[in-house]
Amino acid sequence: MISLTGKTALVTGAARGIGRSIAETLVACGARVAIADLDLASAEKTAQEIGEARGFACDVSDPAAVTMLIQTVEDAFGSLDILVNNAGITRDNLMARMKDEDWDAVMAVNLRSAFVATRAVQRGMMKRRFGRIINIASVVGIMGNKGQANYSASKAGLIGLTKSSAKELASRNILVNAIAPGFIQTAMTDKLSDEAKAQLAAQIPLARLGEPKDIANAVAFLASDLASYITGQVLVVDGGMVM
Ligand code: NAP
């Protein structure tokens, strides 16, 4: 039912994890997808595996590289209709022990990159009077988390950026929304012990950790015409954990 045929998309941090699943799903819906990641070989490998996609190298913590990426993808695809700001990192620690570098690194990758990409992509989207920007936030940006002051602040910031961008860009038919995943099974959460995972699952009404596909399906919906009257929203995809 969801068709993105003729649309072009860029997903950051898409060589693996949630980003990869988003890229795969957008391709399955008919879009041509640019996969950006730190390592060009990994991005190209993922692109080859999923079909109608191309890999690009980009460290999203570098504003010049992000601006250049948008231009390169627009030149390669002829347009850029859908931007998914997905790349994200954690540098967890209790605040007393958190270093300034851990704060800055998380802000640069998780938050500043989305601002820079949104600023760069809007010119082309405005001209074409069409755009979908989807920011991958987190439930901890809504509820906070011990040991994640930097990460939760970056994700709360992403929600503020989403709402401000939505207001600035709505008149040009550019819709900006955020998705707040709960606990999703990827390398980011693999670090947790089985006991910690079981404890988390016990707080989730649907009684399981999420799969990357659960997030990818929500992205496909927000990118599609089915969501053409939705902007500035935060869609929580967490099995009911936060309600
Ligand atoms: P992941 O498995 O760690 O994958 C992250 C991807 O981003 C990797 O391919 C990584 O590349 C890439 N990346 C990291 N730093 C980058 C940079 N500076 N520039 C470009 N790419 C970079 O993470 P994930 O679990 O899929 O998370 C994806 C997004 O969902 C993140 O924004 C995360 O905060 C959010 N999220 C995840 C969960 C969860 O439970 N997993 C929950 C809420 C929100 P390398 O492999 O080279 O490092």
PDB file of all heavy atoms in Angstrom, residues 166-188:
ATOM      1  N   ALA A 166       9.547  21.976  11.394  1.00  0.00           N
ATOM      2  CA  ALA A 166       8.193  21.735  10.858  1.00  0.00           C
ATOM      3  C   ALA A 166       7.467  23.057  10.672  1.00  0.00           C
ATOM      4  O   ALA A 166       6.798  23.288   9.656  1.00  0.00           O
ATOM      5  CB  ALA A 166       7.421  20.807  11.789  1.00  0.00           C
ATOM      6  N   LYS A 167       7.605  23.950  11.662  1.00  0.00           N
ATOM      7  CA  LYS A 167       6.918  25.253  11.561  1.00  0.00           C
ATOM      8  C   LYS A 167       7.523  26.112  10.454  1.00  0.00           C
ATOM      9  O   LYS A 167       6.808  26.791   9.728  1.00  0.00           O
ATOM     10  CB  LYS A 167       7.009  25.996  12.901  1.00  0.00           C
ATOM     11  CG  LYS A 167       6.084  25.381  13.938  1.00  0.00           C
ATOM     12  CD  LYS A 167       6.035  26.158  15.237  1.00  0.00           C
ATOM     13  CE  LYS A 167       4.987  25.506  16.145  1.00  0.00           C
ATOM     14  NZ  LYS A 167       4.899  26.092  17.466  1.00  0.00           N
ATOM     15  N   GLU A 168       8.853  26.101  10.328  1.00  0.00           N
ATOM     16  CA  GLU A 168       9.503  26.933   9.307  1.00  0.00           C
ATOM     17  C   GLU A 168       9.204  26.457   7.890  1.00  0.00           C
ATOM     18  O   GLU A 168       9.161  27.247   6.963  1.00  0.00           O
ATOM     19  CB  GLU A 168      11.029  26.921   9.491  1.00  0.00           C
ATOM     20  CG  GLU A 168      11.502  27.843  10.584  1.00  0.00           C
ATOM     21  CD  GLU A 168      13.003  28.098  10.546  1.00  0.00           C
ATOM     22  OE1 GLU A 168      13.645  27.985   9.479  1.00  0.00           O
ATOM     23  OE2 GLU A 168      13.535  28.418  11.625  1.00  0.00           O
ATOM     24  N   LEU A 169       9.036  25.142   7.717  1.00  0.00           N
ATOM     25  CA  LEU A 169       9.034  24.584   6.359  1.00  0.00           C
ATOM     26  C   LEU A 169       7.659  24.133   5.859  1.00  0.00           C
ATOM     27  O   LEU A 169       7.514  23.756   4.702  1.00  0.00           O
ATOM     28  CB  LEU A 169      10.028  23.412   6.292  1.00  0.00           C
ATOM     29  CG  LEU A 169      11.475  23.785   6.674  1.00  0.00           C
ATOM     30  CD1 LEU A 169      12.362  22.542   6.723  1.00  0.00           C
ATOM     31  CD2 LEU A 169      12.051  24.800   5.705  1.00  0.00           C
ATOM     32  N   ALA A 170       6.655  24.194   6.726  1.00  0.00           N
ATOM     33  CA  ALA A 170       5.334  23.659   6.351  1.00  0.00           C
ATOM     34  C   ALA A 170       4.758  24.342   5.115  1.00  0.00           C
ATOM     35  O   ALA A 170       4.146  23.693   4.264  1.00  0.00           O
ATOM     36  CB  ALA A 170       4.369  23.803   7.527  1.00  0.00           C
ATOM     37  N   SER A 171       4.978  25.653   4.987  1.00  0.00           N
ATOM     38  CA  SER A 171       4.346  26.379   3.880  1.00  0.00           C
ATOM     39  C   SER A 171       4.877  25.910   2.529  1.00  0.00           C
ATOM     40  O   SER A 171       4.268  26.168   1.496  1.00  0.00           O
ATOM     41  CB  SER A 171       4.564  27.884   4.036  1.00  0.00           C
ATOM     42  OG  SER A 171       5.943  28.155   3.925  1.00  0.00           O
ATOM     43  N   ARG A 172       6.026  25.230   2.518  1.00  0.00           N
ATOM     44  CA  ARG A 172       6.587  24.721   1.254  1.00  0.00           C
ATOM     45  C   ARG A 172       6.337  23.218   1.090  1.00  0.00           C
ATOM     46  O   ARG A 172       7.005  22.554   0.322  1.00  0.00           O
ATOM     47  CB  ARG A 172       8.094  24.975   1.181  1.00  0.00           C
ATOM     48  CG  ARG A 172       8.494  26.403   1.454  1.00  0.00           C
ATOM     49  CD  ARG A 172       7.868  27.354   0.437  1.00  0.00           C
ATOM     50  NE  ARG A 172       8.158  28.740   0.813  1.00  0.00           N
ATOM     51  CZ  ARG A 172       9.178  29.435   0.358  1.00  0.00           C
ATOM     52  NH1 ARG A 172      10.003  28.913  -0.508  1.00  0.00           N
ATOM     53  NH2 ARG A 172       9.369  30.671   0.749  1.00  0.00           N
ATOM     54  N   ASN A 173       5.402  22.700   1.878  1.00  0.00           N
ATOM     55  CA  ASN A 173       5.067  21.271   1.795  1.00  0.00           C
ATOM     56  C   ASN A 173       6.259  20.374   2.168  1.00  0.00           C
ATOM     57  O   ASN A 173       6.457  19.304   1.589  1.00  0.00           O
ATOM     58  CB  ASN A 173       4.527  20.901   0.413  1.00  0.00           C
ATOM     59  CG  ASN A 173       3.882  19.516   0.411  1.00  0.00           C
ATOM     60  OD1 ASN A 173       3.299  19.090   1.400  1.00  0.00           O
ATOM     61  ND2 ASN A 173       4.015  18.794  -0.703  1.00  0.00           N
ATOM     62  N   ILE A 174       7.052  20.854   3.107  1.00  0.00           N
ATOM     63  CA  ILE A 174       8.128  20.021   3.657  1.00  0.00           C
ATOM     64  C   ILE A 174       7.684  19.623   5.062  1.00  0.00           C
ATOM     65  O   ILE A 174       7.500  20.491   5.930  1.00  0.00           O
ATOM     66  CB  ILE A 174       9.468  20.785   3.700  1.00  0.00           C
ATOM     67  CG1 ILE A 174       9.864  21.245   2.289  1.00  0.00           C
ATOM     68  CG2 ILE A 174      10.557  19.908   4.323  1.00  0.00           C
ATOM     69  CD1 ILE A 174      11.013  22.244   2.255  1.00  0.00           C
ATOM     70  N   LEU A 175       7.470  18.350   5.252  1.00  0.00           N
ATOM     71  CA  LEU A 175       6.959  17.847   6.534  1.00  0.00           C
ATOM     72  C   LEU A 175       8.113  17.270   7.342  1.00  0.00           C
ATOM     73  O   LEU A 175       8.955  16.544   6.804  1.00  0.00           O
ATOM     74  CB  LEU A 175       5.904  16.762   6.304  1.00  0.00           C
ATOM     75  CG  LEU A 175       4.823  17.056   5.257  1.00  0.00           C
ATOM     76  CD1 LEU A 175       3.752  15.964   5.287  1.00  0.00           C
ATOM     77  CD2 LEU A 175       4.179  18.405   5.490  1.00  0.00           C
ATOM     78  N   VAL A 176       8.163  17.638   8.603  1.00  0.00           N
ATOM     79  CA  VAL A 176       9.275  17.207   9.459  1.00  0.00           C
ATOM     80  C   VAL A 176       8.702  16.529  10.699  1.00  0.00           C
ATOM     81  O   VAL A 176       7.917  17.127  11.448  1.00  0.00           O
ATOM     82  CB  VAL A 176      10.143  18.412   9.891  1.00  0.00           C
ATOM     83  CG1 VAL A 176      11.422  17.925  10.572  1.00  0.00           C
ATOM     84  CG2 VAL A 176      10.481  19.311   8.707  1.00  0.00           C
ATOM     85  N   ASN A 177       9.077  15.291  10.901  1.00  0.00           N
ATOM     86  CA  ASN A 177       8.597  14.535  12.067  1.00  0.00           C
ATOM     87  C   ASN A 177       9.753  13.781  12.707  1.00  0.00           C
ATOM     88  O   ASN A 177      10.808  13.572  12.086  1.00  0.00           O
ATOM     89  CB  ASN A 177       7.511  13.542  11.635  1.00  0.00           C
ATOM     90  CG  ASN A 177       6.229  14.251  11.220  1.00  0.00           C
ATOM     91  OD1 ASN A 177       5.510  14.793  12.058  1.00  0.00           O
ATOM     92  ND2 ASN A 177       5.946  14.277   9.920  1.00  0.00           N
ATOM     93  N   ALA A 178       9.533  13.369  13.953  1.00  0.00           N
ATOM     94  CA  ALA A 178      10.529  12.551  14.654  1.00  0.00           C
ATOM     95  C   ALA A 178       9.904  11.211  15.012  1.00  0.00           C
ATOM     96  O   ALA A 178       8.691  11.106  15.203  1.00  0.00           O
ATOM     97  CB  ALA A 178      10.992  13.266  15.919  1.00  0.00           C
ATOM     98  N   ILE A 179      10.766  10.216  15.091  1.00  0.00           N
ATOM     99  CA  ILE A 179      10.348   8.916  15.632  1.00  0.00           C
ATOM    100  C   ILE A 179      11.165   8.707  16.902  1.00  0.00           C
ATOM    101  O   ILE A 179      12.381   8.951  16.910  1.00  0.00           O
ATOM    102  CB  ILE A 179      10.604   7.793  14.622  1.00  0.00           C
ATOM    103  CG1 ILE A 179       9.641   7.954  13.438  1.00  0.00           C
ATOM    104  CG2 ILE A 179      10.419   6.413  15.261  1.00  0.00           C
ATOM    105  CD1 ILE A 179       9.878   7.017  12.292  1.00  0.00           C
ATOM    106  N   ALA A 180      10.500   8.304  17.966  1.00  0.00           N
ATOM    107  CA  ALA A 180      11.208   8.026  19.216  1.00  0.00           C
ATOM    108  C   ALA A 180      11.154   6.518  19.469  1.00  0.00           C
ATOM    109  O   ALA A 180      10.167   6.006  20.001  1.00  0.00           O
ATOM    110  CB  ALA A 180      10.570   8.787  20.369  1.00  0.00           C
ATOM    111  N   PRO A 181      12.221   5.808  19.074  1.00  0.00           N
ATOM    112  CA  PRO A 181      12.227   4.365  19.336  1.00  0.00           C
ATOM    113  C   PRO A 181      12.410   4.094  20.829  1.00  0.00           C
ATOM    114  O   PRO A 181      13.044   4.871  21.538  1.00  0.00           O
ATOM    115  CB  PRO A 181      13.457   3.854  18.571  1.00  0.00           C
ATOM    116  CG  PRO A 181      13.861   4.955  17.634  1.00  0.00           C
ATOM    117  CD  PRO A 181      13.412   6.221  18.295  1.00  0.00           C
ATOM    118  N   GLY A 182      11.871   2.958  21.255  1.00  0.00           N
ATOM    119  CA  GLY A 182      12.159   2.463  22.610  1.00  0.00           C
ATOM    120  C   GLY A 182      13.443   1.656  22.533  1.00  0.00           C
ATOM    121  O   GLY A 182      14.412   2.100  21.911  1.00  0.00           O
ATOM    122  N   PHE A 183      13.441   0.460  23.126  1.00  0.00           N
ATOM    123  CA  PHE A 183      14.648  -0.363  23.071  1.00  0.00           C
ATOM    124  C   PHE A 183      14.565  -1.314  21.889  1.00  0.00           C
ATOM    125  O   PHE A 183      13.712  -2.186  21.839  1.00  0.00           O
ATOM    126  CB  PHE A 183      14.833  -1.116  24.386  1.00  0.00           C
ATOM    127  CG  PHE A 183      15.275  -0.194  25.474  1.00  0.00           C
ATOM    128  CD1 PHE A 183      14.356   0.392  26.325  1.00  0.00           C
ATOM    129  CD2 PHE A 183      16.617   0.137  25.615  1.00  0.00           C
ATOM    130  CE1 PHE A 183      14.752   1.285  27.311  1.00  0.00           C
ATOM    131  CE2 PHE A 183      17.027   1.029  26.604  1.00  0.00           C
ATOM    132  CZ  PHE A 183      16.093   1.600  27.455  1.00  0.00           C
ATOM    133  N   ILE A 184      15.476  -1.101  20.929  1.00  0.00           N
ATOM    134  CA  ILE A 184      15.466  -1.858  19.679  1.00  0.00           C
ATOM    135  C   ILE A 184      16.719  -2.723  19.631  1.00  0.00           C
ATOM    136  O   ILE A 184      17.803  -2.252  19.992  1.00  0.00           O
ATOM    137  CB  ILE A 184      15.460  -0.891  18.466  1.00  0.00           C
ATOM    138  CG1 ILE A 184      14.354   0.186  18.614  1.00  0.00           C
ATOM    139  CG2 ILE A 184      15.322  -1.652  17.155  1.00  0.00           C
ATOM    140  CD1 ILE A 184      12.938  -0.321  18.665  1.00  0.00           C
ATOM    141  N   GLN A 185      16.566  -3.955  19.159  1.00  0.00           N
ATOM    142  CA  GLN A 185      17.724  -4.862  19.127  1.00  0.00           C
ATOM    143  C   GLN A 185      18.680  -4.518  17.995  1.00  0.00           C
ATOM    144  O   GLN A 185      18.403  -4.797  16.830  1.00  0.00           O
ATOM    145  CB  GLN A 185      17.236  -6.302  18.979  1.00  0.00           C
ATOM    146  CG  GLN A 185      16.775  -6.841  20.314  1.00  0.00           C
ATOM    147  CD  GLN A 185      16.255  -8.240  20.229  1.00  0.00           C
ATOM    148  OE1 GLN A 185      15.331  -8.508  19.464  1.00  0.00           O
ATOM    149  NE2 GLN A 185      16.823  -9.130  21.005  1.00  0.00           N
ATOM    150  N   THR A 186      19.798  -3.886  18.358  1.00  0.00           N
ATOM    151  CA  THR A 186      20.868  -3.575  17.403  1.00  0.00           C
ATOM    152  C   THR A 186      22.187  -3.653  18.172  1.00  0.00           C
ATOM    153  O   THR A 186      22.196  -3.915  19.370  1.00  0.00           O
ATOM    154  CB  THR A 186      20.744  -2.133  16.850  1.00  0.00           C
ATOM    155  OG1 THR A 186      20.997  -1.210  17.922  1.00  0.00           O
ATOM    156  CG2 THR A 186      19.397  -1.837  16.240  1.00  0.00           C
ATOM    157  N   ALA A 187      23.293  -3.322  17.462  1.00  0.00           N
ATOM    158  CA  ALA A 187      24.602  -3.322  18.125  1.00  0.00           C
ATOM    159  C   ALA A 187      24.598  -2.369  19.322  1.00  0.00           C
ATOM    160  O   ALA A 187      25.267  -2.604  20.322  1.00  0.00           O
ATOM    161  CB  ALA A 187      25.678  -2.903  17.124  1.00  0.00           C
ATOM    162  N   MET A 188      23.792  -1.285  19.204  1.00  0.00           N
ATOM    163  CA  MET A 188      23.761  -0.291  20.286  1.00  0.00           C
ATOM    164  C   MET A 188      23.234  -0.899  21.586  1.00  0.00           C
ATOM    165  O   MET A 188      23.674  -0.558  22.673  1.00  0.00           O
ATOM    166  CB  MET A 188      22.876   0.889  19.858  1.00  0.00           C
ATOM    167  CG  MET A 188      23.105   2.143  20.661  1.00  0.00           C
ATOM    168  SD  MET A 188      22.052   3.497  20.100  1.00  0.00           S
ATOM    169  CE  MET A 188      23.174   4.465  19.139  1.00  0.00           C
TER     170      MET A 188
END
